[in-house]
Each structure stands twice: as C-alpha cells, then as structure tokens.
Amino acid sequence: MPEETGHAKVRAPGFHHFGIGVSHGDSMSFTLEQLAARFGGRIEGDPTRRVSSFAPLDQAGPEQLAFLANPKYLQQVESTRAGAVLITDEAVAELKGRGNVLAQHAFIVTPNPYAYFARVAQVFLAALEPPVESNIHPTAVIDSTARVAASAIIGPYVVIEAGAEIGENVRIDAHGFVGRGTKIGAGGRLHPRVTIYHGCTIGERVIVASGAVIGSDGFGFAPDFVGEGEQRTGEWVKIPQVGGVRIGADVEIGANTAIDRGAMADTVIEQGAKLDNLVQVAHNVRIGAYTVIAGCTGIAGSTTIGRHCMIGGAVGMAGHLKLADHVTVTGKSGVSKSLLKPGIYTSAFPAVEHGDWNRSAALLRNLHKLRDRIKALEANLQSKDVPE
Amino acid sequence: MPEETGHAKVRAPGFHHFGIGVSHGDSMSFTLEQLAARFGGRIEGDPTRRVSSFAPLDQAGPEQLAFLANPKYLQQVESTRAGAVLITDEAVAELKGRGNVLAQHAFIVTPNPYAYFARVAQVFLAALEPPVESNIHPTAVIDSTARVAASAIIGPYVVIEAGAEIGENVRIDAHGFVGRGTKIGAGGRLHPRVTIYHGCTIGERVIVASGAVIGSDGFGFAPDFVGEGEQRTGEWVKIPQVGGVRIGADVEIGANTAIDRGAMADTVIEQGAKLDNLVQVAHNVRIGAYTVIAGCTGIAGSTTIGRHCMIGGAVGMAGHLKLADHVTVTGKSGVSKSLLKPGIYTSAFPAVEHGDWNRSAALLRNLHKLRDRIKALEANLQSKDVPE
Amino acid sequence: MPEETGHAKVRAPGFHHFGIGVSHGDSMSFTLEQLAARFGGRIEGDPTRRVSSFAPLDQAGPEQLAFLANPKYLQQVESTRAGAVLITDEAVAELKGRGNVLAQHAFIVTPNPYAYFARVAQVFLAALEPPVESNIHPTAVIDSTARVAASAIIGPYVVIEAGAEIGENVRIDAHGFVGRGTKIGAGGRLHPRVTIYHGCTIGERVIVASGAVIGSDGFGFAPDFVGEGEQRTGEWVKIPQVGGVRIGADVEIGANTAIDRGAMADTVIEQGAKLDNLVQVAHNVRIGAYTVIAGCTGIAGSTTIGRHCMIGGAVGMAGHLKLADHVTVTGKSGVSKSLLKPGIYTSAFPAVEHGDWNRSAALLRNLHKLRDRIKALEANLQSKDVPE
C-alpha cells in the first residue's frame, strides 16, 4: 500500500544511482524562491539558497533538499546539514517553541512536505535522464497509417500497428508493442517491453511498467457439453472479446500486471488510479478514480470498484461485485460479496506458530459440535430450573 | 470463472472497436440458411434474412444477430430490432404461449444459443482481422533448420530456433520466441510477446496471450548444507529440468501465465483446458481435459488435476496432490490435501467489517479455551445430576 | 518448495528432450574416476566404467548414471541396469547386509547423492547446449559505452544501454533488455525476454527466467488530497524511486517474477536465494541468503526476510516486517506481524466440502455469541452453587 513506501527507512547508498556510472544531462539546480514560484509554499530563511538534489534529513548536505513528513523526526531538523527543509507550519512552530535559533536553516513551509518533495524530486530526476540520440529508433517497426507525434520517443524494436496514435512527449521504450487503432495520450511512458493490444485508449501521462499486458482477451467461454461423467463430450466455446480497455489520465500500471479487454463493453480504469505489480484485472472490471491496488491482487470479471478505494496486496475479488467509494480491503482478504458502505474490510488471518494454528483449525472444523454441547447444557440447566 | 464473463451486462460502446479506426477486410455477411447449414439449428421465419455482425438484444439492428441465453430477458426478444435471434425451443414456445405474433422475427432455434453465438461471432471477427502484407516479416529471425508451414504468419522480431516446427495457419505475433525443437500445432495463435522454451509440444488451435511463458525451468533444487545456525554452509544445487511441456489441442493460456517444464517427465495440459491470466503451473503438473482455471491461481509441483474441473481465481494448491474429475474449488481457497471425490470445495472467508473480523479472529485463536470452559460446565452439571 | 520437485515421480518420456530433434554438441562421457576426481565421493566397483547421461534407477541403462536419494527405493538398486549409482554409505551397508553380491554394480558413495547427481547432470546438459554461431547476434543493439566481455553471448534483439557491464561467460538470450549502468556478473544467464532496468547490480552465476522484470519503480505515492466524499480533490503524487536492485551470487529468479527497485536505498536479494515464478518483491525488501520463495508469493515494501528461510507458495506478507533466519511460512499463509523466532508459521485452512465449510464459517462469524452463551451458563451454574 502507498503508506508502505519504506520511505521513512531510506538509506544513502541508493544515491549512487544518481550517477549510474555514465555521464548524462547535468543535474539541475533551483533557488528556494524558484521552487516556491513553481510549487508554492512559504519561504523561511534565505530565498536565494540553491539546491541541486535531495536526501534524507540525516544525510543531506548544503546543496540538498530534505523534508520532514513525520513529526517524530523533528530533532533531525535541528541537526540537519540540508540546504533547505520542506516542513509544515506546525513543525516550524514546534521548533521555535523549543527556542531553537533557526538562523542556519532555510525552510519551505507547506501543508504537505512529502507531496512537495515528490514533485520537486521528479523534476530533479527528469533532468538526469540521458538524452536520446534519435526520437524514433531506426529498428522501430511503425505502420505507415500510425500517427506518431513529432516529440514522441520510440525505442529499439518497438512495434506500432496500423492506425495507432502516439501523443506528444510519449516515450515508448525497447520491445514495446502498440496494437492497431490504440491511442496513447500525451506524456505517457511505456517502460521496456510493454504490450498493449488493439483498440485500447490510454489517457495522458499514464505510466506502464515492464511486462504489463493491456487488452488481452477476457476469460470468457460458453460451455457446450452433453452427457455426464465418462460420457461427457463437448467443449468450452470461446466468446469473442470485442470490448477494449480505457485507461484514464495519470494512471500508473505495475510490472507484469494484466488487464483484459472487455467482452463487449470496455474494461475501464479511471483517472489517477494506481495499480501495483502482478495485478489481474479481468474483463469489464471498472476501477474508480484515485483507487490504489497493491501487488498480486486479482479482480474477477465485471466487478466495479469505487473511487478512492485502497485494496491491499494479494486480495482476491469475485466477479459481478460492487465496491462503494472509500472502501479499504486489507491485504490477503477475499471479497465474495459487494461492499456497499465505505469502511475497512478484512478476512485474513495472521500466520501463527504451526501447532497452535492446527489446533485452532481443527476446532473450527468442529465448531458445530461445540455449539451442540452448549445447547445440551442450556437444555439441561433449564430442566433444572423447573420448580418442583 | 467462465460463468462470470459479464456477458449479460454487455453494453454497446465496445462495438466501436469493430472498426478500430482503420480500414481492413470487409465484414462478412450470412443468410440464416447459410448459418444453419454451417452451424446447425432450425430456422423460424425468413431463411433469406442476412446478418453481418452481432449485438445484445436491446441494441441490435436489422442486420445484426442477437441471442437469448437467459430466459429472464425474454421480453427483450419481443421488442428487439435484431435481424435474427438465436433462441431455444423452450423460449420460442413461451413466446408463442404469450400469444405473440412472431411475424416480424426470425429465429435460429438451438439448444445452446450462447455457444452458437460464440461460434458465429468468431467467424465475423476473423473476417475483420486486417490482412497481413507478408507471411513472414523480414525482421523475423528463423533458424535455417526450423520448419515453418507456408500458410503460417510470423510477425516482426519473432525468433524461431533450430529444429522448431510451426504448423499450417499458425500465427505468431511480434516479439514471439519459439525455442529449439518446439512444435506449434496447426491453427495456433501466439499473441505478441509469447515465449516458449525449447523441447515443448503445443497442440492444434492453441491460443496463448501476451507475456505467457511456457517451458521455463521447474523450481527444483537439492539442499546441500552442513552445520546449523551461524555455522551453516552450503547451497541449493539446481536440479536440471529436462522434461518439457505438452499442451493439448484447443487449450487457451492467459496473459503473463507461467508454465514450467518438467524435471524429467513433461508438464502436461490436456485438450480443451482453459487457463486465465497470471496462473502458475509448476513442473510435472498435469491438468485434465476441459478443466478451467481462473486468474492468479498457483499449482505446485507434480499435482494432478482431473478432467472438467473448475478452479477459481487466487487458489493455491500444494504439490503432489490428486484432484478427481469434476472437482470445483471456489476462489481464494487453499488446497493442501487431495480431493478424490467430485464436488465443490472451499476454504475462503468473505471479508467483513474489520472490527467484527478481528473479534472473531481473536476468538478463533482461543477456541480451545472456550472448549475447556464447556468441558468444565459439563463436568459441573454432571456432578449435580448425582441423585441425593 | 524445493521438496516438491516431483523428482521421485519422474518418468522416462522427458528424456526424448535430450535430443530435442536437432543435432547439436555431442554428449560428453565420464569414467567414474573422472567424476570422483571432479565431484568427490568414493568409488565401489570398476572405476573405469563410463557414463554419458542419467536416468531414474528403474529406467537407466549401462551407460547411464542413476542415484538413490530415498532409501525406500533401495530394491530398485538391486535390479537396476544403470552403469553406476550415486549412493550413501548407509545404503551400501544395507545392501551388503542383505547379502547382495554387488559385483555387477558400480557406485560412487557420497553423503548427498541427490546434490551430487544435480552437479553431474548440469555438466551433461551443458554439453548438449547447441553451439552459438556468433557471440553477439548482429541484431543486438548495444550502446557504444557498454562493456561486454569477449566470452559473453548476446542473442537476437537484445538491447543493452549505456554504461552497462556484461561479465565473462554471461549469456543473454533473445529479447533481453539491460538498462543503463546495470552490471551482470560473470557466468550469468538471462533466458529469453528478461528485462532489467538501469542501475541494478546482478551477481555472478545468477539465472533469470523469461518474463522476469528487475528494477521497475516501487509502488510509492504521496497522498495529496483535500476535502471529503464528493468534495474530495487531489492526487497521488509519484515518489521517485532512485534506489536500485542488488542481487547476490547464485540467485535464481523465476518466470514473470517482478522485483522493484528501492525508493532511495536498494532492494536486496542475498546470495544463493531462489525465487520461483510470479513472485512479487516490493521496493526496499531484503531477502536473506539461501532463502527459497515459492510461486505467487508477494512481499510488501521494506520487509526483511532472514537467511535460510522457506516461504511457501501464494503467501502474502505485509510491509515493514522482520522475519528471523530459519523461518518457514507454509503455503497460502498471510504474514502481517514480524516473525522473530525460527520455526514454522501458518494461517491457511485446507479446502473442505463446501457445505461443511459454510457451516463452520457462519459459526466463526458468531463465535462471540457462543462465548456469551457459555458465560451465561457459567453465571447460572454459579448462582445454583450458592448454598440454600
């Protein structure tokens, strides 16, 4: 789940990946007033201070931006060497309350330092992306009837079929496939080896990770069998899947996730939804705007999930269900009935010591016997209550 | 599961994907007598009526074919504008019983309108597939010792290794890989980016969705460790996986599904079985004919599943088990023992409100205490029963 | 799990895959003294006997090597036609105890015949790999700043980006992708269609199966919403993922498995760990050395798993947990709390007949009512105990 980004636990080593051992675009730097002009926030301290990258509070240097999201790290602000810190009004007040001289500090005060950090960091990182020699790699196979925007970047061995439309500033990395008539909205990013079938519509700024498959046939078959047991003959007859997949703006799709096309209507993922890795979305599912779904979760056909839901990892949902807006399903739960009210729903047991578990499991299987013994006791007692 | 195709809920929009914004093969049209000649069924009404596509009853026009699978939609037949309706004898009788004049209608009467529809729709859709310029795309890398049938279609960047055999009318889309010595039976369809390792045998008319991997090494290692705890040294030694994968005719494999090759014998999927997306089939598993397995289900090594089984989504099965024919396992269940009798098996709890669940879960852990209290009560009462 | 290799159930057919219908490198043969010199063990019988392949005891011929791992197959040794048998001291003693003349037999005596077999079999199979025409396929796209060892084999349509380093004897099969600055250690094998993002470090002799994705962005978003219900506006802001993935020596990664890069620090898989197919490893997870994880298991962000753990299939783990060394989690269990002591942990129910299950499940939901009835009985009885 998004809460579990492990962000609070980050350590420095990762930062060597900034360089990644190859020279590419120089890193960008900003003064605090430039940042505030672009991303908002109130500056406390020297507005001309300049930052060129970011790091956690306890590791940041004078040219780095840090942030305080969790109040319990407040004293790290007092000791940080960061050039500037993204912070809330409350935290600044607290620091002043402690009588700290904040002279050596510079802050950008914002109600959401974590989100502010994320937006700035994206800009820093974009500047580090290596330049691309050619917009369209010579090995890309692009049908003459496909329309590819001039600013789009198409990597090696990408295949784009007839009538496909690739918007401005879209980047499709190596081994990508875009089927006939599929539209990729402006600013989209398909990481290496993303496969999108024909007749799908992908909104603006959609990010798809490697191995994801969008628009594969839904799992639909008409049973056509006669006879029983050994005599049974016949087959499952494939139902043509003629719907498509429609994905809204700002959606992110994880690695090796599979999203099937609809049987006749479309499978739909609304704007701002985020799907993790290895998620299965069956045909005619609808996922509401800003809903997040963690890894290994599977959603069966024609289920509709509301807006702003949070679905944990390894959840299984039956088909033809309806989940209201603002529903949370905890990880590893199974959903076999509609959940029509906002709230948190669960059906997962935490693993315990094997012997203890087996004892409980055995008792569960025989729960009806315990119930019967209680009934007997009640009857027995009642009889005793009869006045002589 | 197949029952959950969401088909009863289809809406029109999907149909714009028929055109998919690019011109390709003209759509085909049939008279009812042509359909009956090819697919069977009894005609009621004008046998010369012509249909060229299909749609749901409530949306079909005079040149479209519709079907009635579910009696509860019977009155849609009375009001439909469809050129013809696939329908059962019972439904026609019912309509006549209602005294409806069926003059304006034309029917093809068949015991299984849904399956009949599926077969006709496949023909309509095949006619809509765009023509291919060249049978073998110039970028395909095909070993000189591989045999590719003249009628096969090989897409861009496909790699076919030594000794592979590609049957008549097979279509392998972009980024496909067929390892050395692997055979693909006639009429097969590998969607873009399907990888099949060496030494596998794929039957006729098998359909494989994008991202599927067939023939990867099974998960087999010999433990070779000495010492305990901190002193423990050694390694897991890889067991060579020299079996293959054998897949029968008319099998369908979903997106990003993984099927491992056998350790020494083959992993086997029998004819007519259907596997959904993100299914894991471990080495030496055998899946019986016409068995269907929904998405995200995992089957551990050497387990054998019978014929005509229905395995729900997100099911986990231990290894070395045996499932009888006609076994159904409901979604999200775990199977750790063999299921030797036909029937429906379950071990999944539906998610409930979080607080309620936690209360039940806590009690479950302490079930043995409840049992002890009942015992105490019984003993206590018995003592009271001793006659004074 | 490794125990479930199905090896004890192997059958002959698999062996036709040795030939795989195409001529390639002649098979290698060894005398027993050559094997003992290379792999250790004590020879009983003629040290000059020569074996050129392997087979199960009941199927091996005079030029084949067999092994006895499970004492219950001891009598198969008496009747085997195998040229030589890998066996333990105990088993040989047992055979002699039975007064069997072992004249016709030849043995290599080793404490771990199964592991010994695995090592020999790897050598036999390597000899069967077909020769490669060119080390680097002409269609490979390799950046001029990438360093590829002279002995490395790069297949068709492989893409290697700037600054990547490919070690000696690495083999990258068709459709592989190695991102900028990523290092692949000596002796590694990437099967067809493996995608590794930029800034990752893969140790020596690592094997990655088809479809695996390593280094995709972790699932990290900062919530930036204001207002409630219908009024709610805002978005999930992507947290840049600037950590990498570090994989130790001798790790094996299964088909279609996904391993995310870290948010700032790296995601780490230590040496000798083995991951099965369709496993999800979220950002900043650490998996200890020699730990094995079966298929369809998902591990949420920042969880740390110890060394020598065995995680079953279809397990779900929450984020930010710690598992001690030598922890076993049985298949299909959910882990939502840290497991700080070695041992076996479970939370999975085995599927039972549907009706029985529903009865137990209903009772579980009402367990608190049973508890209340017990309370009432206890109170009632106590009152009766008051002396009159």
Side-chain angles (χ1 to χ4, degrees), chain B residues 6 12 49 74 102 124 159 161 175 185 210 252 272 280 286 301 317 354 383 387:
Chain B
R49 277 214 193 166
L74 194 63
L102 301 179
F124 283 137
V159 173
E161 291 193 329
H175 303 132
S210 294
E252 185 159 343
Q280 149 72 346
R286 172 177 284 265
M317 286 193 204
H354 190 61
S383 68

Side-chain angles (χ1 to χ4, degrees), chain A residues 237-238 240, chain B residues 28 30 35-36 38-40 51-54 65 86 108 113-127:
Chain A
V237 185
K238 182 176 178 64
Chain B
M28 200 172 271
F30 300 93
L35 289 176
R38 179 160 176 182
F39 299 102
V51 289
S52 58
S53 74
F54 53 87
L65 182 68
L86 303 167
I108 296 177
Y114 192 30
Y116 196 111
F117 155 76
R119 294 190 171 98
V120 175
Q122 283 177 28
V123 175
F124 283 137
L125 289 172

Side-chain angles (χ1 to χ4, degrees), chain C residues 2-27:
Chain C
E3 289 83 340
E4 294 175 350
T5 63
H7 189 79
K9 304 201 155 171
V10 296
R11 299 284 175 270
F15 284 96
H16 67 262
H17 296 303
F18 260 91
I20 307 171
V22 291
S23 71
H24 39 51
D26 296 331
S27 80

Side-chain angles (χ1 to χ4, degrees), chain C residues 213-225:
Chain C
V213 173
I214 299 173
S216 39
D217 279 349
F219 196 59
F221 303 93
D224 191 31
F225 296 96

Side-chain angles (χ1 to χ4, degrees), chain C residues 24-38:
Chain C
H24 39 51
D26 296 331
S27 80
M28 200 172 272
S29 85
F30 299 93
T31 63
L32 301 193
E33 54 197 345
Q34 285 171 324
L35 288 177
R38 178 160 176 181

Side-chain angles (χ1 to χ4, degrees), chain A residues 21-78:
Chain A
V22 292
S23 71
H24 38 49
D26 297 330
S27 81
M28 200 172 271
S29 86
F30 298 93
T31 63
L32 301 194
E33 54 197 346
Q34 285 172 323
L35 289 176
R38 178 161 177 182
F39 299 101
R42 184 184 88 246
I43 299 171
E44 291 218 0
D46 175 3
T48 68
R49 278 216 193 165
R50 191 169 277 283
V51 289
S52 57
S53 74
F54 52 86
L57 278 167
D58 57 347
Q59 296 154 18
E63 297 213 324
Q64 290 185 302
L65 182 68
F67 69 95
L68 178 74
N70 184 338
K72 84 171 179 223
Y73 296 107
L74 194 64
Q75 78 272 34
Q76 288 191 2
V77 177
E78 308 180 45

Side-chain angles (χ1 to χ4, degrees), chain B residues 139 157 163 195 197 199 212 223-224 232 235-236 238 240 256 260 264 266 280 302 314 334 344 346-348 373 384, chain C residues 6 14 17 20 22 112 119 122 125 157 175 193 210 252 256 277 290 308 332 349-352 354 357 378 385:
Chain B
T139 61
Y157 300 128
T195 298
Y197 280 58
D224 191 30
R232 196 172 200 222
E235 63 175 334
W236 291 102
K238 182 177 178 63
N256 285 344
D260 280 346
M264 287 197 189
D266 293 344
Q280 149 72 346
S302 300
I344 304 176
T346 304
S347 71
R373 285 163 68 179
K384 292 196 187 321
Chain C
H17 296 303
I20 307 171
V22 291
N112 192 338
R119 293 191 171 98
Q122 284 176 28
L125 289 173
Y157 301 127
H175 303 133
R193 201 226 306 170
S210 294
E252 185 159 343
N256 285 344
N277 300 345
Y290 306 107
H308 299 294
K332 199 70 182 161
F349 290 102
V352 296
H354 190 62
W357 178 263
E378 289 165 336
D385 293 339

Side-chain angles (χ1 to χ4, degrees), chain A residues 258-380:
Chain A
I259 302 173
D260 280 347
R261 67 194 312 108
M264 287 196 188
D266 293 344
T267 301
V268 177
I269 300 180
E270 296 177 0
Q271 68 181 49
K274 310 292 184 184
L275 275 60
D276 197 358
N277 300 345
L278 291 162
V279 171
Q280 150 71 347
V281 179
H283 52 185
N284 301 104
V285 164
R286 172 177 284 265
I287 296 171
Y290 306 108
T291 285
V292 292
I293 302 180
C296 302
T297 283
I299 305 163
S302 299
T303 281
T304 295
I305 299 177
R307 296 160 58 91
H308 299 295
C309 293
M310 299 183 71
I311 311 301
V315 166
M317 286 194 204
H320 298 285
L321 305 182
K322 187 171 184 349
L323 272 66
D325 297 347
H326 299 286
V327 161
T328 294
V329 179
T330 64
K332 199 70 181 161
S333 296
V335 182
S336 58
K337 299 191 183 63
S338 290
L339 303 173
L340 301 176
K341 276 186 297 199
I344 304 176
Y345 298 87
T346 306
S347 71
F349 290 101
V352 296
E353 196 280 312
H354 189 63
D356 297 346
W357 177 263
N358 284 352
R359 192 174 49 182
S360 297
L363 283 166
L364 177 66
R365 268 194 302 284
N366 297 304
L367 211 44
H368 55 286
K369 296 182 186 167
L370 288 188
R371 192 233 3 242
D372 298 343
R373 285 162 68 179
I374 294 172
K375 270 200 197 139
L377 285 162
E378 289 164 336
N380 186 332

